[in-house]
Every structure is written in C-alpha cells, then in structure tokens.
Amino acid sequence: MSSTVVTNTIKSNGKILPLGSYQLLSIDTSKEFNKIPLAELKLSDGCVANQKFTTLESDAFEPGALIEIFMRYEGNNTNEAKIFEGVVINQEIERTQYQSVLTIELCDPCIKMSTLRKNKVYKNHTDSKIIKDLISTYKELKEKKIESTSFTHPQMVQYYVSDWDFMVSRAEANGQLVQIDNGEVSVFTPQIGSTDHTLTFGIDLAHFDLKINSRNQYEKVHSFGLDTKKDQLELSIPKKGKEQVLNIVDYKTSQLSDAVGGREANLIHAVPTDPSELQSWSDAQLVKSRLSVVQGTIRINGNGKIKVGQTLKIENVSRFNGEHIITGVRHGFVTGSGWYTYIQVGMDANWFSTQPDIIATQAAGLLPGINGLQLGTVLGHVEDANLGFRIKVNIPALHQETKAAEVLAMYTTLDAGVDHGIFFPPEKGDRVVVGFLNDDPRQAIVLGAMHSNKAPHTEKKKNTYKGIFTKSNYQLLFDEEKETVTLSTADADQSNEQILAINQKEKTIKLEDAHGNSIRMGKDGIKIISAKDFSLEAAGNFDINSKGKVKVKGKKVDLI
C-alpha cells in the first residue's frame, strides 16, 4: 500500500471541478489495444436529511459531458498526468443502509464508432485509406498515427458492422493494432522499441502474474487462396526479411511450438485472393502468435507515464527477463488506499473478428434464425397477386407432420425477369434444396432440385449424356460420345415419335414426324420421304392466292 498522498483533478467540459463539489470514492480506468477505453468513477452522493442528490443533480456528470481525469502525488505538482479523457455514457445510483453511491461510466469519444452498424463499398482503397476515411467522419476523433498498407483492394465491403469493428478487423488483417489515447487514434504494427520503463524484481517490482504460453506458437505460417486458373489452392509467397520479435523470453519459438505440435500453421481461404493479401494474413497470424507468448499483469505504484504500446523491460524474473510490449494499462484509485497502475503484457491469440457480437444476429434478431440449407419436397405451385409465383415445399426439419412443415418458397432459375427468362419449376414430389434469405425462416428460397431418387437417364461412365427431360417425355438430348443433338416429343421406342436430330460425327441432319414423313440432309444430298401424297407449291409474296414459280434444276432430273 502506497503511503504517499495522491491528489486527483477532474474536469468537466474543460472546467476544473472544485474538490468540495463532489466526494470521490474510487477511480478505475482501462486502456488496451483493440479496445475502446473505459473508466468508472464512484462518488458518495445523497443526503437523507436534505433528501437531495447534489452531485447527480449537477451538470458536471450528465450524459455527454466530457470528463478529464488527472492524477499526481502531493508535492510533485509538475508531474500531474492525464490518465483518462472520455464522455459520460451511464449514471447509476445505489443506496445501502448507510451510504448512497453514484457510479459514473465513461468511454473514450471513439465509442461513437461502435454505436451503429453500417454498410459501404470501397473501390480501389488500401486498408490504411479505409481506416483514415472511417476516422474522418467523427469530429471528436483525431488521427495520430495511421501506418500505411500497400495492397489496394479492387473492392472492400463493409456489411452491417460498426465502423469500430470494421476498422479493428482490417487493421488486424495487416498485423496491426489499434490504440486509442484520449480521443487520438493510432494504427500500427507492434514492435519492440527503445526501453521506456524498467522494472526489477526486489526493487520496484513486487506484484505480478506472468505466464509463458505454448499454445498458438508457430515457427512458420502459410496462407492459401484459390487460384482459379490452376483450379487449386495457391500458397502465398513469403517476404524476405528478418522476423519481427515482439517478446524476448528464455525459450526458442521452436521449443514452444513443438510442445503442442504446432510448428507450422496453414491458413486457408478458398476464394480467389491476391498473394499480397495472403502474405499479410500470414504475417498477421505470426504477430498474434508472438504477442501471446508472454501474457500477464504487473501491479506497481501509480504511474501516469505508463502508456499502451510502450516497451517494458523486466529484470530478475528468471525466464521472463527481457523486453515486452505494454498491451494494456489500468489505473485504480481508492480514497484512503492509494493509487495503483496495472500493466498488461501480451494478448490473446484469437482473432478480433471471431467475437460473437461483430456479426449481426441471424434474421436481424426479429426471430430465431435458421442455419444452413434444408431438404424439402415440392407440394405444388401458388400464383399470388402480392407474392407472385411461389412453390409449396414441405421441409421435414420444421415439423414431423407434412402440413405443419409446409412453407411458401421463392424460386430461382438460370434467367428470370419481366417477360423473359427460363422457366422450369420443379414438379410435385420433387426433392429440392431450400435456403433462407438472411437466415430468416420465413424467407425460404428454392435453390435447385435434386435427382435423389431416379435420374431421367442412366448416367454413363464418361458422363457424355446430358439433356432436358419433361414429364411428357419432351427431350433435348446432348450425346457427346455419339456427337448428336436430338429434340424429340417422345422416347425413341414410342410409335408417335417426332424428332429433329443433328449428327456432327456423320455430318447429317434428320427431321421425322409421327406419320413416317422425313427429311434427311447429308453428304449425299437431301432426301425427302412422304408417307402419302407429296405437294410442292410456290406462293408469291406469302399470299396463298398468288402463285409463284417452281424451278427444278440439276445435271439430271428424273420425273417418275
């Protein structure tokens, strides 16, 4: 416990609050990489005799007020340090038998970046340019240091996510960290710099909890994206250069990674991805790996000079000796007990984007959402004046009884629009695959049908037989083995077959009807066969009453 007298100064909207105007119980502030700084003030307020809450009723701590907190040790006024600046977002009053406590919750002004979910498409922007654009929309924030990124995205999409979450996730993808300090925003790659503070066990280091973590330690990280030209996963090309060291400990990385069998990690994003972006992803994973080697907290007497991102050197703590990046700083002050500073080193290796509240709730939170695709059976079709064409589908996963599991689903096809499109809706009894727009169970959509029972034709081993088949045996067949295209109104073994056949292998075209009439075109010429009478008539100007000329010309003409 520190015996030195600590003096605090609190400003509200730029004005110093007289010490007698409030009764402070405690201060708790917190700043960390990739987190919005928070603070909490506890004050004694409320007089039973006067039935008043003087501090609560004042304007000093009303929501939206800008509060600045300064700390110093008495007798050393020149070293007064601002440990927090933020706006009031919450007030809470709690009464016990003997005391009323007013709790004031503060947040850095960047809290405004996290309030609303937004959508935006960025064209030909680097991530650093995107981050600068995000910050510039908030007049309360100042851009301190935004480290440049090199890769230009042809397009980058922000979908229904807050500016804060989008900024941190894009920074993280480049191996960078976001630091907020009293309304100033910095985004940079962490690195061990010149030593800012030194703590020695037995002298000024007494309280600490540190651990060396073997999990998530990799010597190498490989990232893969999909190469559509080669139709295979493509490995990123590592940059040549010295590996960044973010923690100095008495163990080699290989020893730690071997302990859990994770010497090399593979990151896979099976979509077309630029090699530069893939490499940034690998580098980012290594940064997270190195930052998680040593994790823990150290408690020292209050020190307003300790800042997130500075380099701390630890001495006389055996294998933990070395230099570490300060990843978080917390100040705690309790009236009568003193002021302490808690230093955090290291960070969790999990990706920021894996946090559950970043992605919007399924079905927009209007109702519980539905996961994945579902199988259904078509019950029929519906023409609705308001909804348009819909398909009745029974989805067994929704209920055991068919009627209770019936939903109306939209229908997708290869081409669809006003007065045009391809219309082949599935038939009653067909098995279909059903998806749901935005995971909303009410917004079913038939994505396609399945040959789950019997296919129209047995598939050949060479997979050369394809076509369109209707229930009435209308067929359009493509036989790549025989090199034929056939359009027919019935199966080949039916007596009423009508057929148009194009044979590329024999270079012939055949047209036959159900009455035995046929036309055949090939290398030997054209052959027309009529089952009964044959009539050849020329009508001029497409008028049946006018007569045109008929000419028969050839080297030899036989009339039999």
Side-chain angles (χ1 to χ4, degrees), residues 182-218:
N182 301 331
E184 295 183 332
V185 184
S186 297
V187 181
F188 55 88
T189 303
Q191 58 183 345
I192 296 288
S194 57
T195 302
D196 297 294
H197 309 279
T198 300
L199 295 175
T200 305
F201 179 56
I203 300 177
D204 50 7
L205 177 58
H207 302 273
F208 55 85
D209 181 3
L210 302 170
K211 72 174 180 179
I212 292 177
N213 175 34
S214 292
R215 293 184 180 274
N216 302 300
Q217 302 310 313
Y218 316 113

Side-chain angles (χ1 to χ4, degrees), residues 109-336:
C110 70
I111 185 67
K112 293 188 176 181
M113 294 187 72
S114 69
T115 304
L116 302 176
R117 292 181 180 271
K118 299 180 180 180
N119 296 342
K120 190 171 182 179
V121 178
Y122 298 90
K123 299 286 188 179
N124 298 316
H125 276 44
T126 61
D127 284 316
S128 54
K129 178 63 167 60
I130 292 173
I131 291 172
K132 288 181 178 181
D133 287 351
L134 292 172
I135 296 171
S136 66
T137 59
Y138 300 89
K139 62 181 181 180
E140 300 86 356
L141 301 181
K142 296 179 182 179
E143 177 189 315
K144 185 177 181 181
K145 176 187 176 183
I146 308 299
E147 191 175 279
S148 296
T149 58
S150 59
F151 180 68
T152 299
H153 300 280
Q155 69 172 6
M156 176 58 65
V157 181
Q158 177 183 0
Y159 173 70
Y160 204 55
V161 66
S162 72
D163 287 343
W164 171 263
D165 288 344
F166 193 61
M167 175 178 68
V168 176
S169 62
R170 292 317 308 156
E172 185 180 53
N174 290 277
Q176 298 175 334
L177 299 174
V178 177
Q179 177 192 3
I180 307 295
D181 187 28
N182 301 331
E184 295 183 332
V185 184
S186 297
V187 181
F188 55 88
T189 303
Q191 58 183 345
I192 296 288
S194 57
T195 302
D196 297 294
H197 309 279
T198 300
L199 295 175
T200 305
F201 179 56
I203 300 177
D204 50 7
L205 177 58
H207 302 273
F208 55 85
D209 181 3
L210 302 170
K211 72 174 180 179
I212 292 177
N213 175 34
S214 292
R215 293 184 180 274
N216 302 300
Q217 302 310 313
Y218 316 113
E219 284 191 79
K220 297 179 181 179
V221 175
H222 307 290
S223 55
F224 296 84
L226 181 63
D227 187 326
T228 54
K229 293 182 179 179
K230 298 179 181 179
D231 198 24
Q232 65 183 28
L233 292 177
E234 190 74 4
L235 176 66
S236 60
I237 302 175
K239 300 175 184 176
K240 294 183 179 180
K242 187 177 180 181
E243 180 188 336
Q244 180 67 53
V245 177
L246 301 179
N247 277 302
I248 300 175
V249 293
D250 191 25
Y251 291 105
K252 292 183 178 180
T253 303
S254 59
Q255 182 178 356
L256 298 175
S257 61
D258 285 347
V260 293
R263 175 165 287 194
E264 295 187 11
N266 291 331
L267 306 177
I268 298 176
H269 189 40
V271 300
T273 309
D274 189 275
S276 297
E277 186 175 7
L278 288 174
Q279 188 55 46
S280 294
W281 189 21
S282 295
D283 295 342
Q285 181 62 74
L286 275 177
V287 168
K288 300 184 73 63
S289 176
R290 300 299 179 261
L291 279 175
S292 67
V293 173
V294 177
Q295 299 178 51
T297 56
I298 298 168
R299 193 189 81 178
I300 61 174
N301 289 333
N303 186 339
K305 296 181 180 180
I306 303 288
K307 301 290 183 181
V308 174
Q310 292 179 335
T311 299
L312 172 68
K313 185 176 183 180
I314 297 176
E315 296 180 338
N316 293 349
V317 191
S318 185
R319 295 185 182 272
F320 290 90
N321 288 345
E323 294 177 312
H324 308 268
I325 295 175
I326 297 175
T327 58
V329 176
R330 177 185 171 192
H331 293 285
F333 169 77
V334 177
T335 300

